[in-house]
Amino acid sequence: MSEKIIGAAKPRIDGPLKLTGRAKYSSDNNLDGMVHAYGVFSTIARGEITNIDTRVAKQSPGVIDIFHHNHFPALYHTPSSMAQENKVDEVRLPFEDNHVYYAGQFVALVVADTFENARAAAYKVKVDYQESSAIANLDQAVERGGTQMHEKANHTRGNPEQAYQDAAHTIDATYVTPVETHNPMEMHATVAAWNGDRLTMYDTTQGVVNARNVYAKVFGIAPDRVEVLTPFLGSGFGGKLWPWPHAIAAAAAAREVGRPVQLVVPRQEMFTTTGHRPETRQRLRLGTDEDGRLLSVRHETISTTSTVDQVGTYVESCGKMTQGLYTCDNLSVTHATTRANRGTPTSMRAPGAAPGMFALESAMDEMAHQLGMDPLEFRRRNYADSDESKGLPWSSNHIRDAYDQAADRFGWDQRNPKVGSMRDGNEIIGWGMASCNWEALRRACDARVSLRADGTAFASCATQDIGTGTYTIVAQAVSDVTGVPLDKIEVELGDSSYPSGPISGGSWATATTLPAIAEAGRKAIEVLKTYAAMESGSFPDAKLEDLRYENGQLSNGAGRSMPFAEVLKARQLASADGEAHTEGAPTDTYAFRSFGAHFVEVRWDPGISNLRVTRVVSAIDVGRAINELTSRNQVEGAIVMGIGMARFEQTEYDHRDARPVNNNYAEYLVPVHADQPEIDVILLDYPDFKFNEFGARGIGEIGITGLPAAVANAVHHATGKRIRDLPITMDKLMDI
């Protein structure tokens, strides 16, 4: 492969479309005859609908119809299977019955000629409820409903209980993380249109193939009669992985009224009906010998789930990274859920690992402090040279180099370990660090590449670009194989009619898609050779094995060469096309993960109770970065998101009735420009060719893992206060 294009810091090829406004997002599609839908949302968190009065609303201007549980077409459930690619998180269909499971649940849908008329009429729909006592949070859920253990997510080896009792040093601490809500810039939106029994969905989804299969199941039609289009997505962070009730409702309404329907979920209801990261309570018990080697690790997690679906319960697997990150012969990881009256939780950037690594890496810091050992040295001492949870060697693990490079860049050797000892004027400086870790996954994928007679190349795959730069790295892979420059490569993604591609989640899209793209490119070249060697071709006397392709030129080994465009023109052919299918990574030979380290500086001014995250240095080992620029962007964004998790983000619910109280951008706090620290990202370059031919592992998730713990550890170093419940707010630091 060409080193010039793979790994290069290339600008996004889709950038001009976005900058000029020509990139169409889901709600930008205004179809002929299109009407608009607006939801009516429950004002209680638990109970039953006793009556829906739509008389006044129906008389409002422009109203076409109003749907609810007494007036909605019969639909089918999807099996909600990852293996079948028809997964949803909320299995319950919209308006399936009169039960209310969470505040903000869709209870009716108004369809009108304009958005404004639909919204105005929705406010006039009167809903009567029989309200029941709601479960508002994790503590209430455990007290009133208990917990459910999930054995498939658990792991045990050795005898961690006995090893803990025999350990020279132990800690036993509980860490709490709140509900976090996905808040991508683009809100959830759907434009649904029927043409006979064919359905077209312009959808905000991170998985067009999965979405297509869901809608086919729900409406009882063949998948080839459904097309899902998501050429551009304003990010999703996991919240748009699977279809939610609003998309199904929009499609059903469109079929009923016989016109295309657009539905945009309001920002407030994105806090209720389109998923969230669940609340967690994690107990960590660590035991070490006198030299700081881990003898016992026990990581127990309880997370909230919804009361909507009793099957397919969402489990926040907080202990998954704990199973193998550090060496320890005696370890147990358990996961339990408890049901609260909230919408169904879902994946949020680094699901499980983000809250789980906060707990683990905070506990590691606490243990290092008890041992009187440098936190970095403690982690080094417990390096795992294999994945002990699977009994497999790592395909590649350079976390020790990540420690070295980040610590050197940060200046960690200048750290005074004494709490509160580092000062600059009125500010107390705290330095903290944490490891970061995320699994590396690769799925099966199909792709198509064409060499065209106009000298350009074309690539297509039914994956999607969610703002991470997939268009660009696909073009780089095509250029690497074909020699066609980036400005002559056209890439089309986000269409379920293209060759089947992966969801954009779990940090597996790059590792999954690029091998298929490369193989399709090679097959297109082989097809080109067959055209050239035909009787009327450019090299009619050549043997296929003698033809060589390099940098867009086909040669016969005897000094004669020709651009591929001329080869095609010689036979009046439009293109040479290659299609490929590649399988996922093997699971029985190596353990695949990505690794890294964060070093964080905070500054605390106790006089005015002001805390700032001022500096972050992160070294990330993700194999080869296909595009240095977009890869760095991904890590930087994840770091900022980790700062949000550490310092600001929490969706709050009234403990009396389980209704969200800060479901808006004014009160749900996220980092803004004034909160941005100096960020230095080091991308290690150790290609993992055991994982795929490009040596690339995923990069989207790993940057957030461990970052909240690094912040909390730095806060402890500055203030002496060990914050075990996120976010780290001022009241938790002030002496009151």
Side-chain angles (χ1 to χ4, degrees), residues 14 17 100 160 165 167 211 246-247 263 355 375 383 394 442 463 466 480 494 499 509 514 528 595 630 658 665 693 720:
D14 51 318
L17 291 175
V100 174
Q165 294 176 17
H246 70 273
L263 192 160
Y383 167 80
W394 301 117
R442 190 183 112 210
T463 190
I466 63 172
D480 180 64
L514 295 198
L528 180 76
F595 303 88
T630 58
Y665 250 153
E693 66 176 276

Side-chain angles (χ1 to χ4, degrees), residues 301-584:
T301 300
I302 302 172
S303 61
T304 51
T305 191
S306 73
T307 63
V308 179
D309 305 310
Q310 300 300 313
V311 294
T313 301
Y314 180 84
V315 181
E316 188 78 357
S317 300
C318 294
K320 200 165 187 181
M321 300 302 105
T322 303
Q323 293 176 192
L325 179 56
Y326 299 111
T327 183
C328 185
D329 292 334
N330 306 286
L331 179 146
S332 68
V333 166
T334 64
H335 298 92
T337 56
T338 188
R339 297 189 182 278
N341 290 110
R342 296 170 180 164
T344 305
T346 191
S347 299
M348 188 171 182
R349 200 172 198 168
M357 291 285 286
F358 163 67
L360 174 64
E361 290 300 294
S362 294
M364 290 290 286
D365 199 74
E366 293 199 47
M367 178 57 82
H369 189 73
Q370 183 182 133
L371 289 164
M373 185 180 295
D374 181 272
L376 177 56
E377 173 57 28
F378 181 48
R379 288 168 173 81
R380 286 182 182 283
R381 195 159 295 191
N382 289 284
Y383 167 80
D385 58 11
S386 67
D387 186 343
E388 295 171 0
S389 69
K390 297 179 179 179
L392 294 173
W394 301 117
S395 63
S396 177
N397 181 350
H398 296 276
I399 194 170
R400 288 182 291 193
D401 195 20
Y403 289 152
D404 289 344
Q405 292 200 38
D408 181 66
R409 189 81 62 89
F410 189 82
W412 184 257
D413 61 347
Q414 302 300 310
R415 178 180 184 263
N416 186 332
K418 184 178 179 181
V419 168
S421 61
M422 299 174 65
R423 291 178 173 267
D424 181 8
N426 294 327
E427 293 183 314
I428 304 172
I429 300 171
W431 285 3
M433 63 83 55
S435 301
C436 55
N437 198 213
W438 181 249
E439 58 189 334
L441 297 169
R442 190 183 112 210
R443 306 297 194 192
C445 184
D446 298 324
R448 181 184 298 116
V449 170
S450 301
L451 296 171
R452 302 194 290 199
D454 62 358
T456 65
F458 173 80
S460 63
C461 179
T463 190
Q464 46 289 305
D465 190 330
I466 63 172
T468 54
T470 306
Y471 279 108
T472 307
I473 61 171
V474 166
Q476 287 178 265
V478 173
S479 180
D480 180 64
V481 171
T482 67
V484 178
L486 287 185
D487 61 358
K488 291 188 176 182
I489 297 173
E490 182 183 355
V491 179
E492 290 193 4
L493 307 171
D495 186 330
S496 63
S497 68
Y498 291 154
S500 183
I503 63 170
S504 296
S507 292
W508 68 54
T510 296
T512 296
T513 304
L514 295 198
I517 291 288
E519 183 61 20
R522 287 190 285 266
K523 288 190 174 183
I525 291 170
E526 292 306 309
V527 170
L528 180 76
K529 290 179 180 179
T530 65
Y531 293 160
M534 287 180 177
E535 190 172 310
S536 58
S538 301
F539 301 97
D541 299 323
K543 295 180 180 180
L544 289 179
E545 58 267 26
D546 292 334
L547 293 176
R548 296 289 181 267
Y549 181 94
E550 187 175 3
N551 295 325
Q553 302 271 336
L554 195 64
S555 62
N556 62 1
R560 183 166 175 251
S561 63
M562 183 177 293
F564 71 81
E566 296 303 317
V567 173
L568 292 169
K569 289 176 183 178
R571 297 203 62 240
Q572 291 185 280
L573 295 171
S575 61
D577 307 308
E579 293 195 18
H581 173 84
T582 51
E583 293 292 342

